[in-house]
Amino acid sequence: MRNWAIGAALLTAALGTGPAAAVAENRLPSPESAIGFTPCADFKLATYEQIAAYFRKLDAATDRMQVLDIGSTAEGRRQILALISSEQNLANLSRYKHIARSLALNRDASGRPLTDALARQMARDGKAIMWVDFGLHSTEVAGAQAAPWMAWKAVTEETQEMREIRDKVIFVLVPNLNPDGTTLVADWYMKHVGTPWEMNVPALYHKYAGHDNNRDWFMFTQPESRNIAKQLYEEYFPQVVYNQHQAAPFPARIFVPPFEDPSNFNIPPLVIRGVNTVGDAITRRLDQEGKVGAISRVQFDAWWNGGMRTAPYFHNMVGILTETAHPSPTPATYDPARFPLRFPNGESTLEPSTYYPSPYMGGRWTMRDSCEYMLTASMSVLEIGAKRREEWLYDIYQMARDAMKAGANETYIIPTEQWDPGAAVRMVNVLRAGAVEIERATAPFMAGGKLYAAGSYVIHGAQPYLPYVRDLLNPQTYPDRRLYPDGPPEPPYDISGWTLSMQMGVRVDKIKEAVAAPTEKVLTASMPPGGVSGAAKVAYAIDPRTNEAFVAVNRLLKAGDVVQRTTEHVDAAGTHWPAGTFLVTPGQGTHARVEQVARALGLKVAAFDTALPAETLHVKPPRVGVYKAWEPNADEGWTRWVLEQYEFPYTSLLDADIRAGSLRAKFDVILLPDARHGQMVNGFAPGTMPPEYVGGMGANGVGQLLQFVADGGTLVAQDSATELPMTAMHLPVRNAVAGIRSTEFYIPGTLLRLTVDTTNPVAWGMPQEVAAFFTHSPVFEVARRERDAQKPDADAGPAVNIVASYPGSDVLMSGWLLGERYLHRRAAVLEARVNKGRVVLLGFRAQHRAQPHATFKLLFNSIYLSSSEAGVRLQAAGFARACGPPRASTAAHVAAGL
Ligand SMILES: [Zn+2]
């Protein structure tokens, strides 16, 4: 009770004179004037619309604030950002933006690097740009509710400190990074408040990414990530980026940096120092205000790239994350007698320590307490922004300058010769979204003793964001860290390896020299020129090596075209057509459609007047079902996202749909996104959710899936979901690493080398070696089938084919791996015939966070295979493999009679 009394008193202190007084004094609208209640109050959540309405209302009433529309969300809401500073600063905004950009990029108005003297002068003249956003994980609710208070406070408060902040800082305030989820959770809570499920929303709080919306910050797949990246790296170049969360290690009240080790080796030291400085400023201010329970150096590390506060590190920005306790508007009383004794780092929860000097001793806690901690932490960022204004500005210049020097003899070249040229273009654009400077060669050039063609992309190391380039285009070498010597591994906060070029299957040559090539600047890369070699009499051939081919085929299937795939590779007169080459039969309007997709997608389509001498499969438009449990599952969202990007139509299948049966009549293929067997079978437990969301697919649902396969359907299980078919269908396969201790075998999100059998239809169009994203995944061991010599054709159970496996050595590509020997020569992808149907086991994340483009084909091929039938043989009389040479090596128009 004592703590609650203190808390209540401090609330008034933090919020100054209180809402009513502020209205009277400043004649400015208070948060409740727009929202209808006091945000942060018990049992209430404002929607994003209500919060944005307040920001607009406040903006209209003051010249100290500008609200900007920064783009659309996944569900079509508009996303806003607010700038708060003195009237004079906002009147001169373009000048201060110019200074911040020049220093961050080490570039003057004419594009030349700054001198130290000029940079010093600019730092003196500039304003610190401090970014504070109020979260993106929508069930971490206090952030969005605190945002209106922060705006109101920063605009209206007339203390000496706040005047100085407005004078020296341009405060970039983002009320929330995930508007859709904020409204989703607010609506659910207000409808169900008082029930055990008031905070259990049975849906992803971002349409596709869910919680992984904080895992999208180098891939930029989602509109919200792109909107924000543009503000960070093209508009404001903040020196400090503060991103708020609400998952404090219990019973601490807030996690604040310094972070736990390891630190990523590519992060500039001044970033890490800056993080520690800001963290100390936050924790000191919290204790000055009597806000106890701040903890540091536990759980959250600075290894990973791809988070909202981590990707900015590689852009020389100081990224801060805090995790405030109690993500709920419903108050609670915490009893210290029931606290765990230790934090995950081994320190006591009840006794003071260096990084937890004021232990929280329990009591009543409300969302207003959480909001106040957030306001104090945000104030600290603004305070230290003002106090160290000139240093922040000079530091970011110094890091840019030093990066350009460090990268002077380092160049990355993306050659035109690529297995999947579309993936290379996509990767260039992903890097561009992260503000990497990229050029395209306008003529052939020599580098590292090799000749590169015009059209190759060139990334010079001498650029301000060299740390980002290095981190995404080189393998991660994760330090072997244990909880104690020879003990269990200390888990990384997120994952250990993510090298983008490996994930996307793009060849990048690293040259250890400065490369002088005739180039032009790339703003957005476009697909290589595509087209059709002529009007075909027999077939249009589309190479399956590029993922864009699948978009093309989906468009053609939708238009009613007849598509087949070759079941073996064909070397048709000098041109290599891999197994799985798509052959489109000419029909009404086909030529125009093929030409259109070829141009749009950069495909070189060959027109054949005689058939390729190969057996084919006829691909019918596949009817795709994607299993969707009520329990939010980001892997399910990413599966939908990838299918939509490649234009596969699909239907989401709820538990009730699975249980209803007759699945084969409706679907050719059912995808099971990553989930444990028990999760899928049991779902939400009774009493934890309204009855309509309780229970999973149940034994009946599993039975229906078995029936679906027995009836000829294809079941594709992703990562841990492979457990369900392995168990239920008695496949002669076991997980060889189940139950092995983490001291022996541990792979926490790592890229592994995979050897692919490209003759298997599941792997058509893939190279023989790719990177697989493995995270606590299964490793398959296939039992050898003993054939009965007397009855060689007798049914010996499901026939299991190994599609991809781990090699006998050198498996690690990027990240951390313990116990490589458990992987050697074991299977990663299996295809099993079961009765009339088929099961595909993908033993890793083939579409993880929509990043590993190199393994998307495993999913796409499985889908096409589900609706394929033996095709007609297109063999035409007179065609021979030794027929005359094609006119172009990649686009052969093979004329009749050759
Ligand atoms: Zn969070």
Side-chain angles (χ1 to χ4, degrees):
M1 284 312 287
R2 204 182 121 254
N3 279 323
W4 162 232
I6 291 170
L10 288 168
L11 169 71
T12 313
L15 297 181
T17 44
V23 175
E25 276 171 28
N26 303 296
R27 293 181 305 280
L28 287 172
S30 66
E32 62 257 73
S33 72
I35 292 171
F37 59 87
T38 304
C40 296
D42 293 348
F43 305 116
K44 284 196 161 65
L45 283 178
T47 61
Y48 186 78
E49 284 72 10
Q50 289 176 298
I51 292 163
Y54 173 66
F55 273 78
R56 292 212 165 88
K57 197 169 172 184
L58 185 60
D59 175 25
T62 175
D63 290 334
R64 291 177 178 173
M65 179 168 169
Q66 288 180 11
V67 170
L68 306 170
D69 182 312
I70 59 165
S72 179
T73 67
E75 291 176 24
R77 285 188 176 77
R78 302 305 301 181
Q79 191 167 13
I80 62 163
L81 169 151
L83 301 172
I84 299 175
S85 195
S86 69
E87 293 87 341
Q88 299 90 310
N89 289 347
L90 290 182
N92 290 301
L93 184 62
S94 58
R95 172 162 186 252
Y96 296 121
K97 283 176 74 175
H98 172 72
I99 291 175
R101 161 189 284 268
S102 303
L103 291 169
L105 299 179
N106 180 23
R107 191 165 297 147
D108 67 14
S110 57
R112 283 187 301 268
L114 308 180
T115 61
D116 288 356
L118 179 56
R120 185 60 76 187
Q121 186 58 49
M122 284 181 140
R124 239 174 255 140
D125 295 345
K127 302 296 173 189
I129 316 279
M130 296 287 124
W131 173 290
V132 181
D133 69 66
F134 287 80
L136 74 172
H137 287 155
S138 307
T139 49
E140 301 169 7
V141 287
Q145 309 300 311
W149 284 118
M150 190 65 240
W152 178 77
K153 190 174 160 67
V155 167
T156 64
E157 215 171 82
E158 292 298 347
T159 58
Q160 177 62 30
E161 181 184 48
M162 198 58 98
R163 280 199 204 106
E164 207 167 309
I165 288 170
R166 282 194 298 264
D167 179 41
K168 294 181 172 169
V169 172
I170 292 172
F171 176 18
V172 183
L173 191 172
V174 189
N176 196 255
L177 301 177
N178 183 19
D180 298 342
T182 293
T183 293
L184 174 79
V185 172
D187 286 345
W188 175 270
Y189 178 84
M190 295 306 284
K191 191 173 164 201
H192 297 279
V193 58
T195 65
W197 47 83
E198 59 186 24
M199 288 302 295
N200 289 356
V201 184
L204 290 171
Y205 53 62
H206 177 279
K207 186 178 178 187
Y208 301 101
H211 191 79
D212 277 358
N213 65 352
N214 199 26
R215 307 288 182 270
D216 194 40
W217 296 91
F218 66 69
M219 201 66 199
F220 301 115
T221 64
Q222 300 303 313
E224 295 85 351
S225 325
R226 286 188 178 251
N227 295 343
I228 294 297
K230 196 164 181 296
Q231 304 306 315
L232 288 172
Y233 308 135
E234 288 178 35
E235 289 291 327
Y236 297 104
F237 302 91
Q239 295 89 45
V240 176
V241 176
Y242 173 24
N243 174 230
Q244 309 210 34
H245 291 258
Q246 264 202 292
F250 188 77
R253 296 294 87 191
I254 185 170
F255 167 85
V256 179
F259 293 103
E260 189 179 43
D261 276 309
S263 274
N264 187 302
F265 313 152
N266 291 316
I267 301 174
L270 279 178
V271 163
I272 299 292
R273 298 292 187 192
V275 170
N276 297 346
T277 302
V278 176
D280 275 350
I282 294 174
T283 48
R284 181 181 293 116
R285 190 174 179 118
L286 285 164
D287 277 309
Q288 282 168 343
E289 293 182 6
K291 293 186 169 79
V292 301
I295 193 168
S296 303
R297 277 191 74 80
V298 58
Q299 200 169 334
F300 304 95
D301 66 34
W303 175 258
W304 162 60
N305 191 342
M308 167 57 204
R309 59 102 190 167
T310 69
Y313 297 153
F314 306 88
H315 295 82
N316 308 324
M317 294 172 183
V318 170
I320 303 295
L321 156 134
T322 60
E323 300 272 358
T324 306
H326 195 78
S328 170
T330 301
T333 300
Y334 295 105
D335 176 2
R338 302 177 66 177
F339 286 177
L341 289 178
R342 302 200 170 274
F343 288 111
N345 63 356
E347 295 297 339
S348 168
T349 59
L350 299 168
E351 291 163 3
S353 57
T354 306
Y355 290 103
Y356 191 56
S358 54
Y360 171 62
M361 297 309 288
R364 186 180 153 84
W365 190 272
T366 68
M367 183 164 63
R368 286 201 75 145
D369 296 317
S370 304
C371 288
E372 278 207 50
Y373 272 56
M374 292 177 157
L375 293 179
T376 298
S378 304
M379 276 304 294
S380 314
V381 171
L382 298 177
E383 174 202 340
I384 201 164
K387 279 187 183 152
R388 292 183 83 260
R389 178 189 60 85
E390 195 179 322
E391 281 177 275
W392 292 125
L393 288 164
Y394 194 80
D395 279 359
I396 202 168
Y397 155 73
Q398 188 176 327
M399 289 185 267
R401 179 198 69 190
D402 293 352
M404 291 168 76
K405 214 176 288 171
N409 293 310
E410 189 172 324
T411 310
Y412 298 83
I413 300 177
I414 305 171
T416 49
E417 302 81 35
Q418 296 284 346
W419 183 271
D420 178 350
V425 170
R426 286 184 188 245
M427 190 181 85
V428 166
N429 288 330
V430 166
L431 292 171
R432 285 291 306 131
V436 174
E437 293 166 3
I438 304 181
E439 295 170 13
R440 189 194 293 108
T442 51
F445 64 98
M446 292 292 294
K450 265 189 279 186
L451 181 69
Y452 289 93
S456 301
Y457 293 98
V458 179
I459 303 175
H460 295 293
Q463 61 175 294
Y465 300 153
L466 172 71
Y468 188 72
V469 173
R470 281 184 174 166
D471 198 63
L472 292 179
L473 299 181
N474 288 285
Q476 275 71 47
T477 308
Y478 194 91
D480 188 328
R481 296 178 60 88
R482 308 303 178 102
L483 295 176
Y484 47 86
D486 296 322
E490 188 189 286
Y493 171 64
D494 187 64
I495 58 176
S496 72
W498 48 82
T499 310
L500 186 62
S501 43
M502 290 177 180
Q503 293 205 69
M504 297 188 75
V506 176
R507 181 184 143 202
V508 178
D509 293 352
K510 183 178 179 179
I511 314 277
K512 289 189 177 162
E513 61 186 55
V515 169
T519 57
E520 60 191 9
K521 201 169 161 181
V522 175
L523 294 178
T524 306
S526 37
M527 290 292 168
V532 191
S533 63
K537 287 192 179 138
V538 175
Y540 295 96
I542 303 176
D543 193 313
R545 281 176 284 204
T546 182
N547 288 345
E548 299 340 284
F550 293 82
V551 181
V553 168
N554 283 332
R555 290 185 191 171
L556 295 168
L557 287 175
K558 193 176 171 195
D561 282 305
V562 175
V563 181
Q564 311 201 49
R565 302 191 79 176
T566 62
T567 60
E568 57 201 314
H569 75 89
V570 183
D571 288 308
T575 302
H576 180 78
W577 296 97
T581 290
F582 296 100
L583 300 176
V584 186
T585 307
Q588 190 68 40
T590 301
H591 182 77
R593 283 190 294 274
V594 170
E595 190 143 47
Q596 196 178 28
V597 294
R599 291 232 169 99
L601 301 165
L603 304 173
K604 292 192 172 78
V605 178
F608 282 90
D609 289 348
T610 52
L612 276 87
E615 298 290 341
T616 61
L617 288 182
H618 180 184
V619 183
K620 303 271 182 65
R623 300 168 302 164
V624 184
V626 180
Y627 173 60
K628 180 183 167 75
W630 286 117
E631 260 185 298
N633 176 358
D635 199 63
E636 180 268 336
W638 287 122
T639 304
R640 279 188 283 114
W641 171 257
V642 170
L643 293 182
E644 288 180 25
Q645 296 316 294
Y646 288 86
E647 303 182 21
F648 283 92
Y650 67 88
T651 305
S652 288
L653 289 173
L654 299 171
D655 289 315
D657 301 321
I658 301 273
R659 285 194 301 261
S662 306
L663 294 168
R664 184 65 188 107
K666 298 171 224 161
F667 298 99
D668 300 306
V669 60
I670 294 175
L671 310 180
L672 299 179
D674 172 69
R676 309 292 306 184
H677 186 185
Q679 250 177 305
M680 288 187 271
V681 171
N682 301 322
F684 282 119
T688 63
M689 285 298 272
E692 61 267 38
Y693 303 111
V694 163
M697 65 170 70
N700 174 24
V702 175
Q704 295 297 348
L705 289 176
L706 298 187
Q707 190 59 50
F708 169 71
V709 174
D711 293 343
T714 295
L715 185 67
V716 180
Q718 301 170 212
D719 205 352
S720 60
T722 54
E723 199 186 346
L724 185 146
M726 274 164 70
T727 314
M729 293 179 182
H730 308 291
L731 301 177
V733 177
R734 71 176 192 103
N735 178 5
V737 294
I740 294 181
R741 286 203 311 226
S742 64
T743 45
E744 294 288 304
F745 181 75
Y746 186 69
I747 308 182
T750 302
L751 297 176
L752 303 182
R753 197 179 312 280
L754 202 62
T755 307
V756 181
D757 175 3
T758 59
T759 66
N760 188 296
V762 172
W764 279 345
M766 291 180 71
Q768 282 171 346
E769 188 183 293
V770 288
F773 185 83
F774 188 107
T775 176
H776 309 287
S777 303
V779 178
F780 301 128
E781 190 166 57
V782 183
R784 208 183 311 155
R785 288 193 303 146
E786 301 300 335
R787 279 262 178 214
D788 187 336
Q790 304 303 312
K791 294 180 280 178
D793 296 328
D795 182 16
V800 178
N801 297 309
I802 296 174
V803 181
S805 53
Y806 301 104
S809 64
D810 205 16
V811 180
L812 177 64
M813 288 180 79
S814 183
W816 194 16
L817 182 166
L818 287 182
E820 182 177 317
R821 66 191 178 88
Y822 289 97
L823 294 163
H824 288 162
R825 285 177 289 274
R826 280 186 167 141
V829 179
L830 298 173
E831 180 236 339
R833 307 297 170 87
V834 181
N835 302 317
K836 287 194 284 180
R838 180 185 278 108
V839 177
V840 178
L841 306 181
L842 301 176
F844 56 89
R845 303 283 178 92
Q847 47 32 302
H848 181 248
R849 299 175 182 169
Q851 293 172 10
H853 287 234
T855 51
F856 285 177
K857 287 190 194 77
L858 293 167
L859 210 52
F860 300 164
N861 283 326
S862 300
I863 290 172
Y864 282 162
L865 197 53
S866 74
S867 60
S868 292
E869 294 167 0
V872 285
R873 193 171 172 86
L874 292 175
Q875 178 70 61
F879 191 99
R881 282 179 196 234
C883 62
R887 279 205 278 274
S889 61
T890 50
H893 183 237
V894 183
L898 271 177

